Amino acid sequence: MANDPAAHAQDATAFEFPFGLELPLPSMLGIQITKFMVLELLVAVAMIAVFVSLAKRIEGGKVARGRFWNLWEALLVYVRNDVVFSVMGKKNGAIYLPFIWMIFFLILFCNLFGLLPWMGSPTGSIATTLVLAIVTFLVATISGMRKFGAIGFWLGLVPHIDLPIYLMVILKPMLFVIEVASYMIKFGVLAIRLWANMFGGHVVLAVFVGFIAAAADSAFYVWGSVTIISIAVSLAISLLELLVAFLQAYIFAFLATLFINMTLHQH
Amino acid sequence: MTLKRIIPVVFVLLLCAISVGSVLAASEHAAEHVAGDPLAYDGPKRDLALWSLVIFLILFGILYKFAFAPIAKALDSREQGIAENIAAAERANSDAKELLTQYQKKLDDADGEVRQIVDDAKADGRRMADGIVEQARKAADSQQKRAIAEIDAATTNALQELAEKSASLAAGLAGRIIRKEIDVNAHRDLVNEAISNLKN
């Protein structure tokens, strides 16, 4: 265990297992393979395993049997009805539903992998969350541009105001800059919110577990009580993290839906 | 290609370029101060970002084709199926209700009919009974009248016969009295004889 708790939550060049076992990751074609890259691959495999199988099970409107499949179906239906359709309506919602599902479940799976022993959350890296935010930005912006025209969309970001022409000349460009900046920042915040939550949660966990290592050289009763308290607190925080894993996936997906919907309905 | 079609393409390419560029820039200058653990990887995050993008695109392609599109379709068709089932159930329910009211009406009609039949039967029975009683009374009356008439006739006959008999007796007695000038005793005997004859 590193002295720096932040290091625990970060990407690494090896998987660490108990008893000092390590699985170092190679460097291929000049690119260092990292823990998060492997985890993302595992996430992809897990998602394909779950959702392709579920798709076969409910094909043609059949009902899924068993708790495991109903769990995923309940989440799918929740995102569909209470996030996408309730914001966008059924017509537009049907177009963007697969994308929002993808965002929600990719984030959820990445978050949940962080709760498995010796694994980690790829969403704890700003690189991953930034990519998700950029993809969302592109989907929203391209949707808006398809609807209002490539230039019309950007001009439409500025709300319509009735002003004398001389004020308009000064104000409109300023408003344009502000609106475009705020439009971009919205998506940037998506990335930062998710990253900060996942990274922060893992750091807190690492801090509490780190107390045990810090007290290792103390008297037995000190180390013992620190250990008990640390494990109890980490357990409680892990439960909180489980909630945060779902919550952040929901927030990202919900805001992505709102932002896409906003580009489809300008002022 | 017209200008109208070129502008969006240029815009999208520009957006993509800016996006990728910003990721690269951000990741190159990512914080490099956290390096307590020799295994912690804080090198360029560009690789992870590009890897995430590639994973996202490929995974989305696969899931869209084999999972999300079929699942969306399945949910739609299930929803439609449920809606149809509900509609069918509602139709069946209203049909059943209508049938129920029909049967209820029929049952009510039949009930009324039965009551009518019973009432008619009762009335018929009463009428018949009255008729029978009336007939019986008439028969009894006529029988009584006939009996009375017969008795009257018999009485009249008897009286007539008595009159005739007593007349002839009286005549005979008178004749005998006249023929025989007899004493009081003979006279009494004659009368007694006549009375006993009459008694017989």
Side-chain angles (χ1 to χ4, degrees):
Chain A
M1 175 54 70
N3 298 328
D4 188 345
H8 159 79
Q10 274 199 315
D11 206 355
T13 55
F15 278 89
E16 282 182 312
F17 295 105
F19 310 113
L21 288 179
E22 264 176 26
L23 178 67
L25 297 166
S27 176
M28 283 162 75
L29 304 169
I31 298 168
Q32 171 66 48
I33 307 287
T34 66
K35 193 175 163 185
F36 285 177
M37 291 184 187
V38 177
L39 287 174
E40 280 179 12
L41 205 60
L42 290 177
V43 163
V45 171
M47 282 179 75
I48 289 170
V50 169
F51 293 111
V52 173
S53 181
L54 181 64
K56 288 223 173 69
R57 275 159 204 274
I58 65 168
E59 199 178 18
K62 280 186 297 197
V63 178
R65 303 245 174 244
R67 289 181 190 181
F68 182 77
W69 302 111
N70 272 299
L71 164 74
W72 298 114
E73 200 201 281
L75 287 172
L76 283 160
V77 171
Y78 177 75
V79 171
R80 171 182 184 260
N81 292 348
D82 293 325
V83 176
V84 179
F85 285 1
S86 74
V87 170
M88 292 184 161
K90 243 184 163 167
K91 196 165 152 273
N92 273 337
I95 299 168
Y96 294 98
L97 181 60
F99 176 71
I100 302 297
W101 271 344
M102 175 73 188
I103 289 277
F104 178 81
F105 286 106
L106 184 61
I107 293 171
L108 182 64
F109 273 66
C110 284
N111 292 352
L112 290 177
F113 259 77
L115 293 169
L116 298 177
W118 314 302
M119 298 291 138
S121 293
T123 38
S125 169
I126 188 83
T128 314
T129 60
L130 209 55
V131 165
L132 291 172
I134 285 168
V135 173
T136 309
F137 168 78
L138 287 176
V139 167
T141 309
I142 292 169
S143 304
M145 280 164 47
R146 276 184 63 178
K147 180 150 187 196
F148 297 104
I151 297 166
F153 168 73
W154 293 101
L155 294 179
L157 284 176
V158 181
H160 180 77
I161 314 169
D162 279 321
L163 281 176
I165 189 80
Y166 56 92
L167 271 176
M168 200 103 96
V169 172
I170 307 165
L171 280 179
K172 275 265 173 166
M174 288 163 73
L175 277 174
F176 179 74
V177 172
I178 291 169
E179 290 291 342
V180 170
S182 91
Y183 179 72
M184 305 278 192
I185 288 167
K186 274 198 304 203
F187 292 94
V189 170
L190 271 186
I192 292 168
R193 180 188 299 109
L194 177 58
W195 164 71
N197 269 286
M198 297 323 295
F199 183 70
H202 287 294
V203 170
V204 171
L205 267 177
V207 166
F208 276 99
V209 177
F211 283 157
I212 300 172
D217 297 332
S218 312
F220 177 74
Y221 67 90
V222 175
W223 177 79
S225 40
V226 166
T227 302
I228 290 168
I229 294 170
S230 292
I231 289 174
V233 172
S234 326
L235 190 67
I237 292 173
S238 292
L239 291 175
L240 186 69
E241 281 297 293
L242 188 60
L243 169 71
V244 170
F246 280 89
L247 193 66
Q248 289 304 320
Y250 166 74
I251 290 174
F252 198 114
F254 186 66
L255 290 176
T257 313
L258 281 183
F259 294 164
I260 293 170
N261 194 48
M262 268 187 236
T263 61
L264 295 173
H265 301 90
Q266 285 193 333
H267 313 290
Chain B
M1 239 204 257
T2 59
L3 192 67
K4 226 180 165 186
R5 299 189 69 178
I6 292 171
I7 289 176
V9 174
V10 170
F11 250 104
V12 169
L13 288 178
L14 206 66
L15 272 175
C16 292
I18 291 170
S19 308
V20 173
S22 63
V23 171
L24 296 186
S27 49
E28 287 288 10
H29 300 292
E32 283 167 15
H33 63 278
V34 189
D37 190 333
L39 286 175
Y41 183 70
D42 201 36
K45 290 180 176 168
R46 178 192 58 205
D47 297 345
L48 179 60
L50 288 175
W51 178 249
S52 301
L53 186 64
V54 170
I55 287 268
F56 185 95
L57 294 177
I58 294 174
L59 184 60
F60 186 53
I62 293 172
L63 285 181
Y64 186 86
K65 179 134 179 48
F66 297 107
F68 291 154
I71 287 173
K73 215 175 118 190
L75 290 180
D76 284 346
S77 67
R78 185 193 301 171
E79 224 170 53
Q80 204 186 337
I82 289 171
E84 279 167 9
N85 283 347
I86 288 173
E90 273 171 1
R91 252 197 323 275
N93 189 24
S94 69
D95 285 358
K97 268 187 190 152
E98 202 179 320
L99 217 59
L100 184 67
T101 46
Q102 273 178 21
Y103 281 132
Q104 195 67 51
K105 195 170 169 295
K106 268 187 196 169
L107 217 59
D108 288 350
D109 288 355
D111 200 34
E113 225 168 296
V114 166
R115 196 165 295 136
Q116 187 64 47
I117 288 169
V118 169
D119 286 352
D120 286 357
K122 270 187 191 164
D124 279 356
R126 204 173 296 130
R127 213 174 307 125
M128 215 180 278
D130 288 352
I132 288 167
V133 168
E134 186 63 28
Q135 234 169 338
R137 189 182 294 133
K138 269 182 191 160
D141 277 359
S142 65
Q143 219 158 359
Q144 199 181 2
K145 273 178 191 159
R146 210 180 311 129
I148 289 169
E150 273 171 15
I151 289 167
D152 282 352
T155 309
T156 316
N157 277 347
L159 285 177
Q160 210 169 346
E161 218 171 301
L162 179 66
E164 278 169 10
K165 230 171 191 171
S166 51
S168 69
L169 256 179
L173 187 63
R176 263 193 271 175
I177 291 168
I178 294 166
R179 248 177 280 134
K180 280 183 199 177
E181 279 291 331
I182 48 176
D183 57 3
V184 175
N185 285 337
H187 198 185
R188 191 182 296 129
D189 289 341
L190 272 176
V191 171
N192 283 341
E193 196 189 334
I195 289 168
S196 71
N197 279 350
L198 190 67
K199 270 181 188 161
N200 294 330

